[in-house]
């Protein structure tokens, strides 16, 4: 198989890449990286990603890291396969570009931290920082207020169609739905309908079933 | 004029957009946003960017926010003007995509914080947090170690040619060169040559002269 993903089943960035491959109906080989023993900090892994983080992606001789760079590559290189995740029209892709940045800088800053504090820390035997949880919930609420207005105007964040913008949110929203943070989504009708919609897509179910 | 930039002369994201326009030899109207009086939080501004941050960019009826989305739009929409900042080849643009993410998530996390702590806080009458400066300097050093290896292999971060990746670094590096953090760049020969090169480009001088 030409496509390989080196990652961890519980890593949201790894899942972001697997979901993109599932939407594109692409086959791949999954290579498990044992984060618990620090495999991602060994030379063999650092030669693929000097930052020592999962996932790493291979497509033939092309090696990539940074999940959002990988998903963009897949979306363009396999534009004709499966679900269209990016568009060619310069103005439409510019709007998608804005909301891709919003996910990466605004949503993820709060969402990823909440997922880590509430779900991951207890697994690692660490104590959740409740003050940080409060602060991040307030920050996420502000972002979701803006999403609520946006989603009242267009069905998806990037426009009328599901795109890479919505997809990038899925792994973290999936985690947050298992926590009290779920309420922040349910309190906002358009956000609630949107998050329910994007979590119910067959491609995401396929990823969860496989992991 | 069709292109308008709503921004602040000292804002690194505003400068990132102005530098892209300068590399592309594009004319624009600059609209000063008075951050000191909170103009960016007023309804007229929030209708353009609900997050209340500069810059906002207009090209005819297209309105964009998030500096890195704006620079990508300019690079593609005006591909035939001025300096080529992005390429079409899927594998080459994928590599550029990886390093664009590295700038946004790794470099900026430390670099922007250092610029804020050392340069901006004193202007606002706030006290620099020296512990945070130490921590961020260590973090930036780790990033620059990886840059040093990368720049030993290719002249620019995204490949053999100057690209949007390098450009995105310029406003923060320009600020850090006025501080003790400069030493972190000078200690690494390839990083030093690269940062000197990208700061010396005529387009950046043009932006500084204009501001």
């Amino acid at each position: 198989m030409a496509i390989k993903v080196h990652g961890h089943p519980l890593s949201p960035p790894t899942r972001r890449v697997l979901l993109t491959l599932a939407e594109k109906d692409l086959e791949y080989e999954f290579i498990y990286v044992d984060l618990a023993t620090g495999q991602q900090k060994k030379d063999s892994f650092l030669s693929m990603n000097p930052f020592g983080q999962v996932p790493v992606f291979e497509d033939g001789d092309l090696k990539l890291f940074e999940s959002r760079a990988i998903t963009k590559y897949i979306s363009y290189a396999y534009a004709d396969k499966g679900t269209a995740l990016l568009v060619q029209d310069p103005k439409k892709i510019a709007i998608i570009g804005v909301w891709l940045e919003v996910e990466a800088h605004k949503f993820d800053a709060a969402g990823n931290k909440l997922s880590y504090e509430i779900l991951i820390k207890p697994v690692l035997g660490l104590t959740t920082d409740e003050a940080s949880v409060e602060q991040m919930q307030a920050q996420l609420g502000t972002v979701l207020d803006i999403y609520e207005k946006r989603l009242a105007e267009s069905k998806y964040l990037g426009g009328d169609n599901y795109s890479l913008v919505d997809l990038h949110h899925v792994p973290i929203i999936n985690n947050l739905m298992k926590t009290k943070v779920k309420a922040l989504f349910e309190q906002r009708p358009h956000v609630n309908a949107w998050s329910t919609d994007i979590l119910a897509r067959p491609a995401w179910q396929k990823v969860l079933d496989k992991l």
Side-chain angles (χ1 to χ4, degrees), chain A residues 19-66:
Chain A
L19 176 53
T20 308
L21 291 167
E23 287 285 3
K24 287 291 180 191
D25 263 328
L26 292 167
E27 297 294 318
Y28 57 90
E29 180 185 349
F30 185 76
I31 298 149
Y32 179 84
V33 180
D34 191 352
L35 302 181
T37 60
Q39 199 188 331
Q40 76 280 16
K41 302 296 178 190
K42 304 231 165 90
D43 285 348
S44 57
F45 192 89
L46 291 173
S47 71
M48 298 189 295
N49 178 1
F51 290 94
Q53 291 173 329
V54 291
V56 162
F57 173 88
E58 293 185 77
D59 188 358
D61 60 353
L62 182 70
K63 285 185 178 61
L64 303 174
F65 56 96
E66 286 288 337

Side-chain angles (χ1 to χ4, degrees), chain A residues 126-137:
Chain A
L126 301 168
T127 309
T128 298
D129 178 345
E130 290 297 343
S132 172
V133 167
E134 283 307 303
Q135 194 192 335
M136 288 299 134
Q137 281 208 108

Side-chain angles (χ1 to χ4, degrees), chain A residues 12 18-19 45 62 84-85 97 117 124 132 136-137 139-140 150 154 159 167 176 183-184 189 209:
Chain A
L18 299 185
L19 176 53
F45 192 89
L62 182 70
L85 296 171
E117 284 290 344
L124 301 176
S132 172
M136 288 299 134
Q137 281 208 108
Q139 198 174 310
L140 183 62
R150 171 72 183 157
S154 70
L167 185 154
L176 296 179
L184 295 183
D209 290 347

Side-chain angles (χ1 to χ4, degrees), chain A residues 4 16 31 43 64 71 86 108 133 149 152 157 168 172 181 190 197 211:
Chain A
K4 295 179 186 178
R16 197 174 284 133
I31 298 149
D43 285 348
L64 303 174
T71 61
L86 291 174
D108 196 65
V133 167
K149 278 188 195 161
L157 283 177
H168 281 181
I172 291 293
V181 181
H190 292 98
D197 176 354
L211 290 174

Side-chain angles (χ1 to χ4, degrees), chain A residues 10-11 14 24 29 45 57 84-85 90 95 150 164 166 171 180 186 196 202 209:
Chain A
L10 296 180
S11 138
T14 298
K24 287 291 180 191
E29 180 185 349
F45 192 89
F57 173 88
L85 296 171
I95 300 290
R150 171 72 183 157
L164 204 53
D166 311 294
K180 65 179 177 182
E186 289 176 340
T196 304
D209 290 347

